[in-house]
C-alpha cells in the first residue's frame, strides 16, 4: 500500500464543504468523505503549529518529545534524533518517502526532514508569517528560505512569490507519485502552508471564491488535492493508496476575515476549547474503507502512526507511544469504539488544560485568549488583539449534546468530573503539567550542537 497524508495549516473545522462550509467550494476534499470516511470528533494534540506536527509524526503527545508552541527561526531546538518518526517507521518496510511544505520541527541542519526519514523535501522550515513581511513584528524575522533538501533554493520576498508555492509543491508531489507508483510503496507527507496568514493564493485563484482571499486559498488547496487524486488514478495506484486529509489546529480568529471558522465549536487556535483542537478529518482507501462512513468516536493525530504501522506491518518505535491503532474506526466501522480511555490537551509550557473521555470533556483551571466583543472584524491581514479570560474551577461538558461547550455540567455529574480529574492526574504523573511539574515519561528535546 501507499500513503498520502495531507496536513493543512490553520484550516478550521467548518472550512470545507463536508464539514459545513457554505461559501467555499471543496469538491475534491468532499469526495474523500463521500468515497471514504469522515470523523466528526477528530483532534490534534495541541492547538499550535510545531507541537501539533510533533504529535502527528511521532505518535506521542508533543510534551513527551519536548516540542512546545511554534518554533521560530531563532530556535536552537528541534525534534530529537532519538525519536522515530512516521517516515522512518515506513522506510523500515521499504517505502520511498517525501515531504512537501511546512516542516516546523527545527530549522537547523540536524533537524532537517531529510535527517528524520524523508528521502526528499521541498518547503519552508517554519511558518510563512515568520518573515520580514509580518504585519506586527517584521524586524523579528530573517528572510524566508524555500528549502530543497538541505539547500535554500529561493528567498520568498513577497506575496506574489509566496502565491506560487502551492502549485510548485503540488507539481513536486505529483512527480514523486509518478516516479514511484507501481514500483515501490511510497509515503507522501504534504504539509500545506495555507490557509495560515499571510494568505497567498496563486495568481489564477485570486477573486474566485465567495469568501475573499481566505476562500481563494482553500479552493486552490482543494484543487491541489484533486491533482494528487488524479495522479493516483492516472498511475494505476488509486486502489492501493490510503489518502488522509486533516489540519494542524483551529482558526487564527484574531485575523478576522483572513481566518477560518470553527462552526459550532468554541474559540480557535491557541486554546484547548474544541474550536482550537477539533479538526476536519477525511480518509479514503478504496476497497478497505467503507464509502460514506461517518465516525463520531473521538480520535487524534497521535493514533495515525501506530495505525499505519499496523496496516503496513512495520515495527513500532522502541520509545513509548501515546497513540493506539484506530483501524476499526478508520475502516468506517460505525460500531467500533475508541481504543483510548481519554485524550489529553496541553498548551503553553506543557500546561494540561483539558481532558476528553467518551462524550465528556473537562476544561481545567487556566487562562486562555479570547477576542471579546469587538465591534469590527480584523481586515486586510492585520490582526486585532486578544483579551485574556480565566477558568477558575473545572468545567464539565457533554460534547454530544453541547459541542459548543456552553453548559457546565460539573454540579450535575460529580462522579464523571471526579473520574476525569483522576485521569488528568495520571497524565500529570506521566507527561507533567507546566514548567514546575515534569512527567516521568518526558524525553529530551533535540538541541543544536554547541
Amino acid at each position: 500500500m501507499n500513503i498520502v497524508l495531507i496536513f493543512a495549516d490553520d484550516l478550521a473545522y467548518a472550512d470545507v464543504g463536508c464539514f459545513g462550509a457554505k461559501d467555499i467550494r471543496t469538491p475534491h476534499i468532499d469526495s474523500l468523505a463521500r468515497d471514504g470516511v469522515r470523523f466528526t470528533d477528530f483532534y490534534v494534540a495541541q492547538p499550535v503549529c510545531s507541537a501539533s506536527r510533533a504529535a502527528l509524526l511521532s505518535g506521542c503527545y508533543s510534551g513527551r518529545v519536548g516540542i512546545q508552541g511554534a518554533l521560530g527561526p531563532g530556535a536552537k531546538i528541534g525534534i530529537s534524533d532519538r525519536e522515530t518518526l512516521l517516515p522512518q517507521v515506513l522506510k523500515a518496510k521499504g517505502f520511498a518517502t517525501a515531504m512537501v511544505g511546512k516542516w516546523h520541527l527545527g530549522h537547523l541542519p540536524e533537524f532537517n526532514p531529510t535527517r528524520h526519514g524523508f528521502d526528499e523535501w521541498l518547503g519552508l522550515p517554519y511558518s510563512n508569517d515568520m518573515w520580514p513581511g509580518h504585519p506586527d513584528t517584521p524586524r523579528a524575522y530573517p528572510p524566508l528560505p524555500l528549502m530543497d533538501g538541505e539547500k535554500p533554493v529561493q528567498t520568498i520576498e513577497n506575496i506574489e512569490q509566496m502565491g506560487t508555492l502551492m502549485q510548485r509543491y503540488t507539481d513536486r508531489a505529483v512527480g514523486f507519485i509518478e516516479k514511484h507508483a507501481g514500483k515501490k510503496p511510497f509515503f507522501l507527507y504534504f504539509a500545506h502552508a495555507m490557509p495560515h496568514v499571510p494568505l497567498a493564493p496563486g495568481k489564477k485563484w485570486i477573486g474566485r471564491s465567495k469568501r475573499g482571499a481566505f476562500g481563494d486559498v482553500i479552493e486552490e488547496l482543494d484543487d491541489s488535492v484533486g491533482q494528487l487524486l488524479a495522479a493516483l488514478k492516472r498511475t494505476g495506484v488509486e486502489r492501493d493508496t490510503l489518502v488522509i486529509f486533516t489540519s494542524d489546529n483551529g482558526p487564527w480568529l484574531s485575523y478576522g476575515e483572513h481566518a477560518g471558522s470553527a462552526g459550532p465549536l468554541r474559540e480557535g487556535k491557541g486554546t484547548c476549547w474544541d474550536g482550537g483542537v477539533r479538526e476536519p478529518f477525511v480518509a479514503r482507501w478504496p476497497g478497505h474503507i467503507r464509502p460514506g462512513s461517518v465516525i463520531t468516536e473521538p480520535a487524534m493525530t497521535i493514533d495515525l502512526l501506530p495505525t499505519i504501522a499496523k496496516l503496513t506491518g512495520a515495527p513500532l518505535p522502541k520509545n513509548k507511544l501515546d497513540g493506539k491503532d484506530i483501524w476499526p474506526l478508520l475502516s468506517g466501522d460505525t460500531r467500533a469504539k475508541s481504543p483510548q480511555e481519554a485524550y489529553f490537551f496541553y498548551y503553553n509550557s506543557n500546561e494540561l488544560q483539558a481532558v476528553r473521555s467518551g462524550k465528556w470533556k473537562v476544561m481545567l483551571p487556566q487562562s486562555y485568549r479570547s477576542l471579546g466583543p469587538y465591534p469590527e472584524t480584523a481586515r486586510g491581514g492585520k490582526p486585532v488583539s486578544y483579551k485574556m479570560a480565566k477558568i477558575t474551577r473545572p468545567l464539565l461538558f457533554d460534547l454530544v449534546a453541547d459541542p459548543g461547550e456552553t453548559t457546565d455540567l460539573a454540579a450535575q455529574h460529580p462522579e464523571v468530573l471526579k473520574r476525569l480529574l483522576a485521569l488528568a492526574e495520571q497524565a500529570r504523573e506521566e507527561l507533567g503539567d507546566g514548567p514546575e511539574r515534569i512527567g516521568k515519561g518526558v524525553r529530551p528535546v533535540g538541541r543544536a550542537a554547541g
Side-chain angles (χ1 to χ4, degrees), residues 181-424:
K183 299 172 185 175
K184 66 184 304 185
F186 61 80
F187 170 51
L188 171 65
Y189 173 43
F190 196 149
H192 283 276
M194 296 288 114
H196 194 292
V197 293
L199 301 176
K203 188 174 181 179
K204 74 175 185 178
W205 293 92
I206 296 173
R208 290 181 59 163
S209 85
K210 297 179 180 179
R211 178 64 169 76
F214 186 86
D216 293 345
V217 298
I218 298 292
E219 293 192 7
E220 183 180 10
L221 191 157
D222 181 77
D223 181 75
S224 170
V225 172
Q227 291 181 60
L228 298 187
L229 298 181
L232 296 174
K233 185 174 183 178
R234 183 173 64 251
T235 57
V237 296
E238 179 181 47
R239 297 190 65 82
D240 300 322
T241 304
L242 169 62
V243 180
I244 295 170
F245 177 92
T246 188
S247 183
D248 69 338
N249 51 247
W252 203 344
L253 295 174
S254 63
Y255 278 86
E257 65 179 4
H258 281 209
S261 169
L265 308 179
R266 185 169 175 175
E267 298 294 348
K269 177 178 180 175
T271 79
C272 289
W273 296 100
D274 262 32
V277 289
R278 198 195 301 195
E279 290 299 314
F281 179 97
V282 291
R284 186 195 76 179
W285 187 12
H288 300 273
I289 293 177
R290 297 178 186 180
S293 302
V294 178
I295 299 298
T296 58
E297 285 286 298
M300 187 182 274
T301 49
I302 58 174
D303 299 318
L304 293 180
L305 186 153
T307 302
I308 289 170
K310 179 72 174 295
L311 291 174
T312 60
L316 288 173
K318 294 180 180 179
N319 284 334
K320 183 175 181 178
L321 300 182
D322 295 302
K324 294 187 177 180
D325 175 17
I326 58 166
W327 172 244
L329 297 173
L330 189 57
S331 71
D333 183 353
T334 55
R335 301 164 300 175
K337 299 297 180 183
S338 173
Q340 300 272 16
E341 183 178 11
Y343 289 103
F344 304 98
F345 300 93
Y346 283 79
Y347 189 54
N348 292 330
S349 297
N350 203 42
E351 178 185 321
L352 181 60
Q353 295 193 346
V355 180
R356 175 162 183 179
S357 180
K359 70 176 184 177
W360 298 103
K361 180 181 176 187
V362 63
M363 290 291 287
L364 299 168
Q366 64 193 263
S367 294
Y368 67 93
R369 66 189 196 185
S370 184
L371 285 179
Y374 282 102
E376 286 189 49
T377 298
R379 301 186 185 280
K382 179 75 172 178
V384 295
S385 297
Y386 286 103
K387 298 179 180 180
M388 295 308 295
K390 183 171 287 190
I391 300 172
T392 58
R393 59 176 177 79
L395 306 177
L396 182 68
F397 300 99
D398 176 349
L399 292 182
V400 173
D402 180 25
E405 299 172 279
T406 62
T407 305
D408 174 28
L409 300 176
Q412 292 93 318
H413 297 277
E415 73 291 347
V416 175
L417 179 62
K418 181 179 179 180
R419 181 174 67 86
L420 266 62
L421 292 178
L423 290 169

Side-chain angles (χ1 to χ4, degrees), residues 118-139:
F118 288 106
D119 297 329
E120 58 181 272
W121 168 50
L122 175 69
L124 302 177
Y126 32 74
S127 295
N128 60 313
D129 69 331
M130 294 178 175
W131 70 330
H134 193 283
D136 285 334
T137 55
R139 295 182 181 179

